[in-house]
Amino acid sequence: MKITYLTLSLFSSLVVMGLKSETMNKEPVAFDTTQIDRSVLPCNNFYRHANGNWIDKNPVPTTESRWSCFNVLTKENEAKLQTILEEVIKGKHKKGTTHQLISDFYKSALDSAEREKTGLAPLQTILKKIVSAGSKSDLVNLYPQLLQMGVRIPLSVYISRDRKNSEQYITSISQSGIGLPNRDYYLKKDEKFEKIREQYVDHINVIMALAGFEPISGQAILSLETKIATAQWSITEQRDPYKTYNKKATKLVADHYPMVNLIGLLEGIRLSDAQDIIVGQPTYFENLNKIIEETSLNDWKSYHIWHFLGSFASHINDAFEEEDFRFYSTILRGTKEMKPRKERILNTINGMLGEPMGQLFVAKYFPESAKMYISSMIENLRSAYRESIMNLRWMGDTTKQKALKKLETFTYKVGYPDEWKDYSKLEIKKKGYLQNVINTRIFGYKFMTNKLGKPVDKKEWGMSPQTVNAYYSSSGNEIVFPAGLLQPPFFHISFDDAINYGGIGGVIGHEFTHGFDDQGSKFDGEGNLSNWWTDADRERFGALTKRLAEQYSGYEPLPGMYINGEMTLGENIADLGGLTLAFAALKKQLAGKEPGLIDDYNWQQRFYLGWANVWKQTIREDELKNRLITDVHSPGEYRVLGPLANIKEFGNAFGCKDCKMQKPEAEMIKIW
Ligand SMILES: [Zn+2]
């Protein structure tokens, strides 16, 4: 432990010195106390106490559906990326280079006159094939092209690491094919969702009309999608890694769902080598087979025309883009107005060329020093986790040994990839924006299908480095922290340890805990689905997590709409574990030292302020409704209140007694 501490201190002082010159004029504030609402006692509602004034002063901007630290930081990153775009566009670049791709994509997007003139032209060949299909199998034969172009069809096909053999890639098929955010939008009986369904029908008809089709098929498409939605599994059902792992010989699967023409589909996307395939939701495919059979050719045609157009709507021209925004952003999420054109273009390029953009982003804006500091912080968290596992009361020794073994095999990635993906074969031209979009999508899909049969690329990142987020991968047993996140308010080298551990430390703990949440705990340290638990321990773990699910299911963020404690369970376990462990890691970091008060708060209090600060948000009601049924994360407020209800140290830090926020000590849930 001592060595960890010394190394860390050494890093810290070096790093602070190195960084001073860069940030001399604008040292960021670790925690801005003007955001505190002192009229609310910390022990009554800590979320409101820590953030109340910020919340009152930060209504959701008209161009957004919610507003949080994540959005603020994303905006700051976007401003940096915009600077990069403006610089890159000035130069002359060799074909196939990162700069050429970005520069020409940007030029093509800025040329709005050309976009209006081109319209649907790049889509016509396929559109004609859909319209002239003489049979359902003609339509099904178009699936390979549609899939590669990123167009929604009733199934998805993808390559990932095999859950039971993480050293190999495997092909999977999974349910898909609906235009509303998830199956609940089709099946919920209340007025609000009925209204949305009506508006969805209108939206489909408008898009059809814009492309010159008779605007009459919306209702039939809704009926067809409702059948598809009924056959689909819910998000909660899909969280089960065993139930969604049905590995079979491809030939057998193909025989079982003849209407899908799986063999033809796999051939079309160069996956004929797939001997075995994982079927994500077998009952869905049984039903899909019937739905294809029973639905008329005409309705299927309309369905495919709609999804083909809908998939490109935000790129075709202004009229399509505005209509797409009207439904998907305003009606579904409450966003009032579009972002300025340049910002929309940036978001498109950043989404489509994530790594190339990220490569330029980190070169210009990411201090290498942050990488070292975060790495040592991760090791501090790992060591706190180690002690916590050893001291767990509910877990027996046999399982503890296995858990510790898994903990030691966790790997991590910080900042950006060691090796960048090769984009040199991607064709991007100065003119032809929509074609550039199509080419990039096809390139991305081929990049994925090319993996089959090759050794697993453990250096690959599942997120671009400028992203304000982090992740845990169960197959890699790795936690990943992109450069985009490693900035204020989550972290800064100049912040006091308490704020850094409450912020990024809590996030690191959260990602670690995903390896031990209700799903991650079913994977071993090699990333394989395998049971390393004794039955008794698994049962005790299940009982604890059930109580946590019940706690969250009792939260009612909107009248009549509750958090789904089952659907959000993994995230809530991760928040509770992450926060608990980050606090323990902070104590290690301080090693008995008592830092002085800052702004009248002691270090324990500042730790919890740091956590509350990163989850502050304002959100539109439509967006909150949407997220309560589609997002596996709880709303920001409950990411603060939920874990803190169970953390005794929080009550101690603020001198809470019989407070509203915390459970009686005997009822507090401690998992990790
Ligand atoms: Zn998470």
Side-chain angles (χ1 to χ4, degrees):
M1 301 314 139
K2 258 232 153 82
I3 292 170
T4 310
Y5 166 64
L6 276 173
T7 318
L8 197 70
S9 308
L10 191 66
F11 275 142
S12 314
S13 51
L14 279 177
V15 158
V16 172
M17 286 189 323
L19 221 81
K20 268 269 148 53
S21 58
E22 289 170 39
T23 52
M24 204 133 61
N25 299 323
K26 42 166 191 165
E27 198 80 341
V29 180
F31 183 84
D32 179 3
T33 50
T34 63
Q35 74 181 50
I36 291 178
D37 178 355
R38 294 185 197 275
S39 72
V40 180
L41 290 174
C43 307
N44 282 346
N45 183 330
F46 189 64
Y47 175 75
R48 182 70 213 178
H49 172 83
N51 303 318
N53 271 351
W54 183 91
I55 291 167
D56 294 344
K57 286 188 188 134
N58 284 276
V60 184
T62 51
T63 55
E64 308 287 334
S65 57
R66 74 169 165 169
W67 195 241
S68 68
C69 279
F70 289 80
N71 299 90
V72 174
L73 187 48
T74 299
K75 279 256 176 219
E76 287 170 19
N77 288 348
E78 281 170 10
K80 292 172 180 166
L81 292 163
Q82 190 68 47
T83 312
I84 290 172
L85 278 187
E86 302 306 335
E87 275 168 19
V88 169
I89 202 176
K90 284 184 207 148
K92 274 205 158 139
H93 310 293
K94 229 177 98 196
K95 195 168 176 327
T97 59
T98 303
H99 288 76
Q100 180 265 320
L101 294 175
I102 293 171
S103 173
D104 287 350
F105 209 132
Y106 189 37
K107 282 179 186 158
S108 76
L110 287 172
D111 193 346
S112 51
E114 201 255 358
R115 183 170 92 148
E116 292 299 321
K117 208 178 79 197
T118 307
L120 293 167
L123 305 177
Q124 286 300 356
T125 315
I126 303 247
L127 207 47
K128 279 190 190 128
K129 283 187 188 168
I130 300 175
V131 173
S132 64
S135 66
K136 286 183 221 170
S137 56
D138 283 352
L139 287 176
V140 169
N141 289 340
L142 291 172
Y143 281 7
Q145 273 169 294
L146 296 175
L147 260 187
Q148 294 183 83
M149 290 172 91
V151 176
R152 197 176 283 125
I153 59 169
L155 73 157
S156 66
V157 184
Y158 62 90
I159 304 296
S160 65
R161 291 168 80 165
D162 186 338
R163 243 175 270 170
K164 289 193 178 172
N165 179 5
S166 66
E167 294 297 320
Q168 269 182 26
Y169 288 120
I170 190 154
T171 311
S172 296
I173 54 173
S174 186
Q175 65 184 32
S176 185
I178 52 177
L180 287 171
N182 75 6
R183 75 194 291 273
D184 293 2
Y185 276 79
Y186 296 83
L187 308 178
K188 275 195 182 275
K189 292 275 177 269
D190 68 88
E191 222 179 286
K192 147 105 186 150
F193 289 93
E194 270 163 25
K195 184 91 205 290
I196 288 179
R197 291 193 285 271
E198 273 170 34
Q199 289 167 311
Y200 181 50
V201 169
D202 291 344
H203 169 63
I204 296 172
N205 286 335
V206 174
I207 290 282
M208 290 297 220
L210 284 172
F213 293 92
E214 231 187 313
I216 49 166
S217 49
Q219 193 61 49
I221 292 168
L222 176 69
S223 305
L224 171 50
E225 288 188 16
T226 305
K227 285 185 207 161
I228 295 174
T230 309
Q232 288 189 348
W233 291 18
S234 72
I235 298 181
T236 304
E237 286 168 310
Q238 292 202 79
R239 290 189 66 244
D240 189 326
Y242 283 103
K243 282 195 185 144
T244 50
Y245 188 92
N246 305 283
K247 187 172 168 177
K248 294 194 177 83
T250 306
K251 176 87 181 56
L252 277 180
V253 177
D255 288 348
H256 213 67
Y257 317 121
M259 297 303 287
V260 178
N261 186 12
L262 190 61
I263 300 293
L265 172 56
L266 293 175
E267 256 166 38
I269 52 178
R270 298 160 312 279
L271 289 178
S272 340
D273 287 350
Q275 299 288 315
D276 296 312
I277 200 162
I278 295 172
V279 182
Q281 308 81 12
T283 56
Y284 171 76
F285 284 94
E286 301 270 346
N287 283 308
L288 176 62
N289 199 61
K290 272 188 230 145
I291 296 169
I292 297 179
E293 222 165 14
E294 288 164 6
T295 307
S296 72
L297 173 62
N298 218 23
D299 286 352
W300 273 116
K301 275 191 194 181
S302 305
Y303 168 90
H304 287 299
I305 294 169
W306 147 237
H307 281 294
F308 188 62
L309 294 169
S311 167
F312 294 102
S314 63
H315 303 294
I316 297 170
N317 62 24
D318 286 354
F320 274 96
E321 189 177 9
E322 279 159 23
E323 174 57 21
D324 183 73
F325 178 84
R326 188 188 67 81
F327 183 72
Y328 281 104
S329 296
T330 305
I331 290 174
L332 288 185
R333 312 178 74 179
T335 314
K336 304 272 184 257
E337 61 174 332
M338 274 192 188
K339 289 177 181 160
R341 185 172 173 83
K342 276 204 169 174
E343 217 176 311
R344 292 183 337 250
I345 293 174
L346 172 70
N347 286 337
T348 300
I349 298 180
N350 195 29
M352 304 206 86
L353 297 175
E355 271 204 17
M357 287 290 278
Q359 199 174 346
L360 305 188
F361 176 85
V362 297
K364 196 170 160 80
Y365 295 107
F366 183 62
E368 286 300 315
S369 50
K371 206 166 177 171
M372 291 190 291
Y373 186 90
I374 296 293
S375 302
S376 34
M377 215 167 165
I378 290 172
E379 287 308 335
N380 238 10
L381 258 296
R382 193 200 305 261
S383 114
Y385 224 122
R386 198 178 292 133
E387 280 172 30
S388 162
I389 291 173
M390 288 191 288
N391 295 325
L392 283 180
R393 292 219 194 123
W394 58 267
M395 187 183 266
D397 282 342
T398 317
T399 312
K400 276 185 186 177
Q401 290 316 312
K402 303 274 176 62
L404 287 168
K405 197 174 157 225
K406 175 164 183 178
L407 181 70
E408 298 314 323
T409 51
F410 264 82
T411 54
Y412 54 84
K413 292 173 179 159
V414 177
Y416 55 90
D418 290 335
E419 271 170 29
W420 299 98
K421 281 176 193 161
D422 178 9
Y423 277 77
S424 59
K425 302 249 155 52
L426 171 58
E427 179 97 35
I428 297 294
K429 291 183 175 164
K430 280 191 200 68
K431 283 203 181 293
Y433 169 68
L434 184 53
Q435 192 60 51
N436 284 340
V437 169
I438 295 169
N439 291 356
T440 311
R441 286 190 185 178
I442 294 174
F443 178 86
Y445 198 83
K446 282 187 178 165
F447 183 90
M448 175 184 72
T449 51
N450 269 339
K451 291 179 188 172
L452 191 70
K454 303 217 171 74
V456 166
D457 178 7
K458 293 182 181 170
K459 289 181 176 165
E460 191 184 4
W461 279 54
M463 210 175 248
S464 66
Q466 63 277 36
T467 310
V468 183
N469 211 335
Y471 69 91
Y472 167 71
S473 151
S474 50
S475 290
N477 194 33
E478 63 173 0
I479 47 179
V480 183
F481 304 94
L485 177 77
L486 307 176
Q487 304 178 79
F490 295 91
F491 156 80
H492 194 267
I493 228 101
S494 70
F495 290 176
D496 49 312
D497 290 324
I499 291 294
N500 274 338
Y501 274 79
I504 197 72
V507 174
I508 295 170
H510 173 102
E511 301 306 339
F512 257 124
T513 309
H514 271 314
F516 297 102
D517 72 15
D518 61 322
Q519 303 308 325
S521 61
K522 292 171 181 161
F523 291 80
D524 63 21
E526 275 68 54
N528 292 320
L529 198 52
S530 82
N531 183 17
W532 45 270
W533 295 66
T534 65
D535 290 347
D537 285 333
R538 190 81 214 177
E539 210 168 290
R540 280 191 286 265
F541 178 68
L544 283 169
T545 60
K546 186 164 175 276
R547 282 175 55 208
L548 195 67
E550 283 162 3
Q551 177 194 326
Y552 280 79
S553 289
Y555 292 129
E556 190 182 8
L558 279 172
M561 279 192 87
Y562 291 82
I563 290 180
N564 179 340
E566 284 288 316
M567 181 177 89
T568 56
L569 182 57
E571 295 299 330
N572 300 333
I573 296 172
D575 281 342
L576 176 56
L579 194 54
T580 307
L581 291 156
F583 189 75
L586 171 60
K587 281 202 277 190
K588 274 182 180 300
Q589 163 76 356
L590 295 175
K593 276 182 300 196
E594 280 287 329
L597 300 185
I598 300 178
D599 298 326
D600 295 331
Y601 288 96
N602 65 31
W603 61 269
Q604 291 95 334
Q605 293 169 331
R606 283 181 68 80
F607 170 82
Y608 294 110
L609 285 172
W611 177 257
N613 182 37
V614 302
W615 299 112
K616 66 190 180 203
Q617 68 167 27
T618 47
I619 186 163
R620 294 188 190 282
E621 198 176 308
D622 290 322
E623 174 69 343
L624 182 53
K625 279 180 187 159
N626 171 28
R627 285 185 180 267
L628 283 170
I629 55 176
T630 58
D631 191 349
V632 295
H633 303 86
S634 297
E637 180 168 1
Y638 302 93
R639 301 193 71 164
V640 178
L641 300 181
L644 291 185
N646 297 300
I647 296 178
K648 199 176 64 186
E649 287 84 352
F650 166 76
N652 295 343
F654 286 93
C656 305
K657 263 190 189 154
D658 304 322
C659 70
K660 274 192 201 159
M661 261 186 67
Q662 291 209 292
K663 299 176 185 172
E665 201 179 324
E667 288 170 30
M668 286 180 174
I669 304 165
K670 180 176 177 353
I671 304 175
W672 298 105

